[in-house]
Amino acid sequence: MDPSAPGLVKALAFDVFGTVVDWRGSVIRDGEELARRTGVKTDWSAFADAWRAEYAPSMRPIRHGEKPWVNLDVLHWENLLTTVQRFRLEGLAEADLRWLNLAWHRLDPWPDAAEGLARLKRKFIVVTLSNGNIALTVDLIRHGKLPFDAVLGAEVAKQYKPHPQAYLTTVSLLQLERSQVMMIAAHNSDLRGASRAGLRTGYVIRPTQYGPEQKNDLAPEGEWDVVAKDFVDLAQKLGA
Amino acid sequence: MDPSAPGLVKALAFDVFGTVVDWRGSVIRDGEELARRTGVKTDWSAFADAWRAEYAPSMRPIRHGEKPWVNLDVLHWENLLTTVQRFRLEGLAEADLRWLNLAWHRLDPWPDAAEGLARLKRKFIVVTLSNGNIALTVDLIRHGKLPFDAVLGAEVAKQYKPHPQAYLTTVSLLQLERSQVMMIAAHNSDLRGASRAGLRTGYVIRPTQYGPEQKNDLAPEGEWDVVAKDFVDLAQKLGA
């Protein structure tokens, strides 16, 4: 396809964690703030990575129908308690942990995100299609002043990506055909899910989303319709 | 309550038809455009009123569980066919009627809406809580450049206002208490529904939403928390 051809793609559906916002840097920052306030010390980079490592396994039983739907704030909380125990962090009150869990509501956008989105919005409907719940995503887009048209994704579908239902509910609520919606993500796995569900795919490389030692998701691993180095480059390549 | 007191109200949930946008003027405008294009003539003000008069009765069987959920584009379509028959309009192709049904996606905002919302957004989460479906509402907010944070309401709840489920699903997705969400509407009936569900209420008077002969909804009919003459006045009264 020529993804900039007029009329072909009507909406862009954005993954959020890692694609729009820098989850890792922001979680580390909030961990360090908590350390300053409470005196509880640890390696917050390792802590952030360990917490995030629980993310994919925690959604799996829900996708497989072995556990009823709970939203991502709940999974983050369960995963936080696991990680706190593993790191033997002591001396944090429940209020401290509740505050830390909301780090995922305070993630900073990548520097190009707001500008690129504003340009893309002139040509396309721009929505979130994240595994993050609605309250979390609303907080993020307000925090980053990100001009999305709507917050869709997992919580509306009551199913997590890469289950097809997460993608197809968003397509259906927009009253579009699958081929009129392009999933934008910095994760090849997300684009594989979107592509299997029949959506178009746009890959944005975020070379430090997993930290300075990143080894995965440094290059496209599929025949994605567009590959861009950031959202401004994406706007350029999509003719917006 | 003092509605401008900090921390009390966190989110404003907006009714859309008549409150944010001028449905009547916009439907008449599109009817007249269709007349110019096709030569099919009628009294488009009367047509708009008759079409809208089908709106409340068409949702009732869904609220009462006598008809399965269908979204508002579907109800508008069924109601359009009824109205076309009643007005004995002949000579309109299906494509013309499909275009006319989408008049509800092209409604113009009231002149104060975008400015008032931008101010309110600095202090509150601002979301739509409309009976309009998501695709329709996304088209409206893009058309009017209205800076909402999220599109919630009937289609997400699979229930129409004034059923409590429509209000409470929005409150729940925002992860707020009922008393932290204020329903903003130009219709006393909507505010009665919101109030029964436990939400705060803000009344905005739209004295021509039903046309120049408007007799209803010219004054508050309940103890609403705030009464404003437009969205800029609302921002002022809520300290935003």
Tab-separated table of all heavy atoms in Angstrom, chain A residues 170-208:
chain	number	residue	atom	x	y	z
A	170	THR	N	-12.195	-1.626	18.835
A	170	THR	CA	-11.863	-0.242	18.487
A	170	THR	C	-12.290	0.070	17.049
A	170	THR	O	-12.919	1.104	16.788
A	170	THR	CB	-10.356	-0.004	18.699
A	170	THR	OG1	-10.098	-0.064	20.116
A	170	THR	CG2	-9.911	1.335	18.175
A	171	VAL	N	-11.990	-0.826	16.128
A	171	VAL	CA	-12.390	-0.632	14.722
A	171	VAL	C	-13.903	-0.491	14.628
A	171	VAL	O	-14.441	0.405	13.955
A	171	VAL	CB	-11.913	-1.831	13.865
A	171	VAL	CG1	-12.514	-1.770	12.463
A	171	VAL	CG2	-10.385	-1.863	13.798
A	172	SER	N	-14.607	-1.358	15.328
A	172	SER	CA	-16.065	-1.392	15.262
A	172	SER	C	-16.686	-0.124	15.866
A	172	SER	O	-17.642	0.435	15.319
A	172	SER	CB	-16.520	-2.663	15.969
A	172	SER	OG	-17.819	-2.551	16.433
A	173	LEU	N	-16.146	0.346	16.993
A	173	LEU	CA	-16.686	1.566	17.609
A	173	LEU	C	-16.439	2.789	16.728
A	173	LEU	O	-17.194	3.757	16.789
A	173	LEU	CB	-16.085	1.772	18.998
A	173	LEU	CG	-16.586	0.788	20.062
A	173	LEU	CD1	-15.779	0.917	21.341
A	173	LEU	CD2	-18.077	1.005	20.357
A	174	LEU	N	-15.388	2.754	15.923
A	174	LEU	CA	-15.134	3.860	14.994
A	174	LEU	C	-15.977	3.724	13.716
A	174	LEU	O	-15.959	4.608	12.860
A	174	LEU	CB	-13.647	3.932	14.633
A	174	LEU	CG	-12.711	4.338	15.787
A	174	LEU	CD1	-11.247	4.204	15.359
A	174	LEU	CD2	-12.999	5.777	16.239
A	175	GLN	N	-16.702	2.613	13.587
A	175	GLN	CA	-17.532	2.342	12.406
A	175	GLN	C	-16.697	2.405	11.126
A	175	GLN	O	-17.123	2.976	10.116
A	175	GLN	CB	-18.752	3.273	12.374
A	175	GLN	CG	-19.649	3.034	13.576
A	175	GLN	CD	-20.952	3.816	13.612
A	175	GLN	OE1	-21.813	3.528	14.436
A	175	GLN	NE2	-21.110	4.802	12.735
A	176	LEU	N	-15.516	1.791	11.207
A	176	LEU	CA	-14.634	1.741	10.043
A	176	LEU	C	-14.378	0.285	9.677
A	176	LEU	O	-14.695	-0.633	10.437
A	176	LEU	CB	-13.305	2.437	10.360
A	176	LEU	CG	-13.394	3.954	10.611
A	176	LEU	CD1	-12.044	4.487	11.079
A	176	LEU	CD2	-13.849	4.696	9.344
A	177	GLU	N	-13.804	0.085	8.486
A	177	GLU	CA	-13.300	-1.225	8.093
A	177	GLU	C	-11.925	-1.421	8.717
A	177	GLU	O	-11.211	-0.451	8.967
A	177	GLU	CB	-13.171	-1.301	6.568
A	177	GLU	CG	-14.468	-1.051	5.812
A	177	GLU	CD	-15.515	-2.115	6.103
A	177	GLU	OE1	-15.121	-3.300	6.254
A	177	GLU	OE2	-16.708	-1.769	6.200
A	178	ARG	N	-11.558	-2.692	8.915
A	178	ARG	CA	-10.235	-2.972	9.511
A	178	ARG	C	-9.101	-2.303	8.729
A	178	ARG	O	-8.149	-1.796	9.303
A	178	ARG	CB	-9.947	-4.485	9.484
A	178	ARG	CG	-10.958	-5.297	10.238
A	178	ARG	CD	-10.922	-6.739	9.747
A	178	ARG	NE	-12.074	-7.461	10.291
A	178	ARG	CZ	-12.033	-8.678	10.795
A	178	ARG	NH1	-10.902	-9.374	10.796
A	178	ARG	NH2	-13.099	-9.250	11.268
A	179	SER	N	-9.232	-2.324	7.400
A	179	SER	CA	-8.149	-1.788	6.563
A	179	SER	C	-8.099	-0.262	6.596
A	179	SER	O	-7.171	0.339	6.057
A	179	SER	CB	-8.342	-2.256	5.127
A	179	SER	OG	-9.594	-1.777	4.650
A	180	GLN	N	-9.093	0.370	7.227
A	180	GLN	CA	-9.082	1.838	7.342
A	180	GLN	C	-8.439	2.304	8.641
A	180	GLN	O	-8.373	3.504	8.895
A	180	GLN	CB	-10.522	2.365	7.272
A	180	GLN	CG	-11.178	2.150	5.920
A	180	GLN	CD	-12.633	2.601	5.921
A	180	GLN	OE1	-13.396	2.261	6.827
A	180	GLN	NE2	-13.009	3.371	4.913
A	181	VAL	N	-8.016	1.352	9.471
A	181	VAL	CA	-7.412	1.710	10.754
A	181	VAL	C	-5.977	1.200	10.781
A	181	VAL	O	-5.712	0.037	10.470
A	181	VAL	CB	-8.202	1.097	11.937
A	181	VAL	CG1	-7.556	1.466	13.264
A	181	VAL	CG2	-9.665	1.554	11.906
A	182	MET	N	-5.051	2.101	11.126
A	182	MET	CA	-3.649	1.704	11.239
A	182	MET	C	-3.220	1.727	12.704
A	182	MET	O	-3.355	2.740	13.383
A	182	MET	CB	-2.759	2.653	10.427
A	182	MET	CG	-1.285	2.276	10.494
A	182	MET	SD	-0.214	3.403	9.528
A	182	MET	CE	-0.568	2.822	7.866
A	183	MET	N	-2.742	0.567	13.160
A	183	MET	CA	-2.181	0.479	14.501
A	183	MET	C	-0.783	1.070	14.479
A	183	MET	O	0.015	0.728	13.604
A	183	MET	CB	-2.124	-1.003	14.920
A	183	MET	CG	-1.612	-1.249	16.322
A	183	MET	SD	-2.900	-0.851	17.561
A	183	MET	CE	-1.872	-0.316	18.937
A	184	ILE	N	-0.491	1.971	15.417
A	184	ILE	CA	0.839	2.580	15.521
A	184	ILE	C	1.469	2.085	16.820
A	184	ILE	O	0.920	2.296	17.906
A	184	ILE	CB	0.750	4.117	15.562
A	184	ILE	CG1	-0.063	4.671	14.380
A	184	ILE	CG2	2.151	4.734	15.620
A	184	ILE	CD1	0.531	4.422	13.019
A	185	ALA	N	2.607	1.410	16.711
A	185	ALA	CA	3.242	0.868	17.917
A	185	ALA	C	4.746	0.788	17.743
A	185	ALA	O	5.257	0.702	16.620
A	185	ALA	CB	2.683	-0.515	18.249
A	186	ALA	N	5.424	0.794	18.877
A	186	ALA	CA	6.879	0.615	18.910
A	186	ALA	C	7.244	-0.827	19.233
A	186	ALA	O	8.406	-1.125	19.512
A	186	ALA	CB	7.473	1.563	19.953
A	187	HIS	N	6.247	-1.718	19.219
A	187	HIS	CA	6.449	-3.127	19.570
A	187	HIS	C	6.016	-3.997	18.400
A	187	HIS	O	4.853	-3.946	17.977
A	187	HIS	CB	5.614	-3.506	20.789
A	187	HIS	CG	5.643	-2.476	21.881
A	187	HIS	ND1	6.752	-2.288	22.673
A	187	HIS	CD2	4.735	-1.575	22.291
A	187	HIS	CE1	6.503	-1.303	23.536
A	187	HIS	NE2	5.287	-0.857	23.317
A	188	ASN	N	6.936	-4.817	17.915
A	188	ASN	CA	6.583	-5.722	16.816
A	188	ASN	C	5.446	-6.668	17.193
A	188	ASN	O	4.598	-6.986	16.363
A	188	ASN	CB	7.821	-6.515	16.391
A	188	ASN	CG	8.781	-5.660	15.572
A	188	ASN	OD1	8.521	-5.353	14.417
A	188	ASN	ND2	9.888	-5.239	16.187
A	189	SER	N	5.404	-7.093	18.464
A	189	SER	CA	4.365	-8.047	18.881
A	189	SER	C	2.968	-7.427	18.755
A	189	SER	O	2.012	-8.098	18.365
A	189	SER	CB	4.612	-8.496	20.317
A	189	SER	OG	4.590	-7.360	21.174
A	190	ASP	N	2.856	-6.157	19.080
A	190	ASP	CA	1.569	-5.464	18.980
A	190	ASP	C	1.142	-5.382	17.508
A	190	ASP	O	-0.028	-5.618	17.165
A	190	ASP	CB	1.726	-4.059	19.580
A	190	ASP	CG	0.405	-3.412	19.975
A	190	ASP	OD1	-0.651	-3.957	19.641
A	190	ASP	OD2	0.447	-2.343	20.616
A	191	LEU	N	2.108	-5.075	16.649
A	191	LEU	CA	1.785	-4.962	15.218
A	191	LEU	C	1.444	-6.317	14.613
A	191	LEU	O	0.594	-6.408	13.718
A	191	LEU	CB	2.935	-4.291	14.465
A	191	LEU	CG	3.201	-2.838	14.900
A	191	LEU	CD1	4.366	-2.255	14.111
A	191	LEU	CD2	1.954	-1.964	14.719
A	192	ARG	N	2.078	-7.387	15.122
A	192	ARG	CA	1.689	-8.728	14.658
A	192	ARG	C	0.231	-8.998	15.024
A	192	ARG	O	-0.535	-9.519	14.213
A	192	ARG	CB	2.593	-9.807	15.278
A	192	ARG	CG	3.902	-10.025	14.527
A	192	ARG	CD	4.656	-11.266	15.000
A	192	ARG	NE	5.225	-11.108	16.332
A	192	ARG	CZ	6.430	-10.571	16.591
A	192	ARG	NH1	7.213	-10.146	15.595
A	192	ARG	NH2	6.856	-10.463	17.832
A	193	GLY	N	-0.161	-8.642	16.242
A	193	GLY	CA	-1.555	-8.824	16.671
A	193	GLY	C	-2.518	-8.020	15.821
A	193	GLY	O	-3.572	-8.509	15.399
A	194	ALA	N	-2.149	-6.754	15.569
A	194	ALA	CA	-3.010	-5.877	14.772
A	194	ALA	C	-3.129	-6.397	13.340
A	194	ALA	O	-4.216	-6.408	12.749
A	194	ALA	CB	-2.436	-4.462	14.773
A	195	SER	N	-2.014	-6.850	12.795
A	195	SER	CA	-1.987	-7.335	11.423
A	195	SER	C	-2.831	-8.606	11.284
A	195	SER	O	-3.610	-8.750	10.338
A	195	SER	CB	-0.535	-7.600	11.037
A	195	SER	OG	-0.459	-8.155	9.761
A	196	ARG	N	-2.719	-9.512	12.267
A	196	ARG	CA	-3.559	-10.723	12.265
A	196	ARG	C	-5.045	-10.368	12.313
A	196	ARG	O	-5.871	-11.076	11.746
A	196	ARG	CB	-3.230	-11.606	13.486
A	196	ARG	CG	-2.101	-12.584	13.277
A	196	ARG	CD	-2.117	-13.678	14.349
A	196	ARG	NE	-1.996	-13.131	15.700
A	196	ARG	CZ	-0.839	-12.989	16.356
A	196	ARG	NH1	0.304	-13.347	15.782
A	196	ARG	NH2	-0.826	-12.490	17.568
A	197	ALA	N	-5.369	-9.265	13.016
A	197	ALA	CA	-6.777	-8.847	13.128
A	197	ALA	C	-7.234	-8.091	11.877
A	197	ALA	O	-8.410	-7.753	11.766
A	197	ALA	CB	-6.969	-7.985	14.372
A	198	GLY	N	-6.309	-7.794	10.947
A	198	GLY	CA	-6.698	-7.170	9.678
A	198	GLY	C	-6.458	-5.674	9.593
A	198	GLY	O	-6.856	-5.030	8.627
A	199	LEU	N	-5.789	-5.110	10.605
A	199	LEU	CA	-5.513	-3.669	10.595
A	199	LEU	C	-4.233	-3.378	9.801
A	199	LEU	O	-3.388	-4.264	9.590
A	199	LEU	CB	-5.337	-3.136	12.026
A	199	LEU	CG	-6.613	-2.900	12.856
A	199	LEU	CD1	-7.267	-4.216	13.261
A	199	LEU	CD2	-6.287	-2.079	14.114
A	200	ARG	N	-4.086	-2.127	9.392
A	200	ARG	CA	-2.817	-1.646	8.851
A	200	ARG	C	-1.833	-1.447	9.999
A	200	ARG	O	-2.240	-1.351	11.166
A	200	ARG	CB	-3.012	-0.310	8.142
A	200	ARG	CG	-4.018	-0.356	7.018
A	200	ARG	CD	-3.393	-0.907	5.777
A	200	ARG	NE	-4.368	-0.952	4.688
A	200	ARG	CZ	-4.129	-1.532	3.528
A	200	ARG	NH1	-2.964	-2.119	3.301
A	200	ARG	NH2	-5.041	-1.547	2.591
A	201	THR	N	-0.554	-1.322	9.656
A	201	THR	CA	0.467	-1.265	10.709
A	201	THR	C	1.490	-0.172	10.459
A	201	THR	O	1.998	-0.010	9.342
A	201	THR	CB	1.215	-2.612	10.783
A	201	THR	OG1	1.628	-2.966	9.457
A	201	THR	CG2	0.333	-3.711	11.361
A	202	GLY	N	1.796	0.585	11.513
A	202	GLY	CA	2.850	1.597	11.447
A	202	GLY	C	3.799	1.397	12.623
A	202	GLY	O	3.361	1.362	13.774
A	203	TYR	N	5.064	1.254	12.318
A	203	TYR	CA	6.067	0.949	13.336
A	203	TYR	C	6.879	2.209	13.628
A	203	TYR	O	7.402	2.849	12.703
A	203	TYR	CB	6.982	-0.162	12.820
A	203	TYR	CG	8.061	-0.578	13.781
A	203	TYR	CD1	7.736	-1.206	14.985
A	203	TYR	CD2	9.408	-0.371	13.484
A	203	TYR	CE1	8.726	-1.605	15.869
A	203	TYR	CE2	10.404	-0.763	14.361
A	203	TYR	CZ	10.058	-1.380	15.555
A	203	TYR	OH	11.034	-1.770	16.425
A	204	VAL	N	6.956	2.578	14.898
A	204	VAL	CA	7.776	3.717	15.306
A	204	VAL	C	8.881	3.176	16.209
A	204	VAL	O	8.610	2.522	17.216
A	204	VAL	CB	6.937	4.764	16.066
A	204	VAL	CG1	7.822	5.911	16.538
A	204	VAL	CG2	5.811	5.290	15.172
A	205	ILE	N	10.102	3.435	15.833
A	205	ILE	CA	11.241	2.897	16.588
A	205	ILE	C	11.486	3.759	17.821
A	205	ILE	O	11.664	4.977	17.708
A	205	ILE	CB	12.501	2.856	15.695
A	205	ILE	CG1	12.204	2.032	14.438
A	205	ILE	CG2	13.680	2.262	16.452
A	205	ILE	CD1	13.271	2.128	13.366
A	206	ARG	N	11.473	3.147	18.972
A	206	ARG	CA	11.765	3.845	20.238
A	206	ARG	C	12.956	3.129	20.858
A	206	ARG	O	12.806	2.213	21.665
A	206	ARG	CB	10.549	3.795	21.165
A	206	ARG	CG	9.315	4.541	20.663
A	206	ARG	CD	9.568	6.033	20.536
A	206	ARG	NE	8.325	6.804	20.311
A	206	ARG	CZ	8.326	8.081	19.963
A	206	ARG	NH1	9.473	8.741	19.766
A	206	ARG	NH2	7.187	8.726	19.787
A	207	PRO	N	14.178	3.551	20.481
A	207	PRO	CA	15.371	2.742	20.769
A	207	PRO	C	15.789	2.704	22.236
A	207	PRO	O	16.683	1.920	22.576
A	207	PRO	CB	16.456	3.393	19.903
A	207	PRO	CG	15.975	4.778	19.662
A	207	PRO	CD	14.474	4.740	19.678
A	208	THR	N	15.151	3.538	23.095
A	208	THR	CA	15.521	3.481	24.521
A	208	THR	C	14.312	3.197	25.407
A	208	THR	O	14.360	3.418	26.613
A	208	THR	CB	16.180	4.811	24.980
A	208	THR	OG1	15.227	5.878	24.800
A	208	THR	CG2	17.445	5.110	24.208
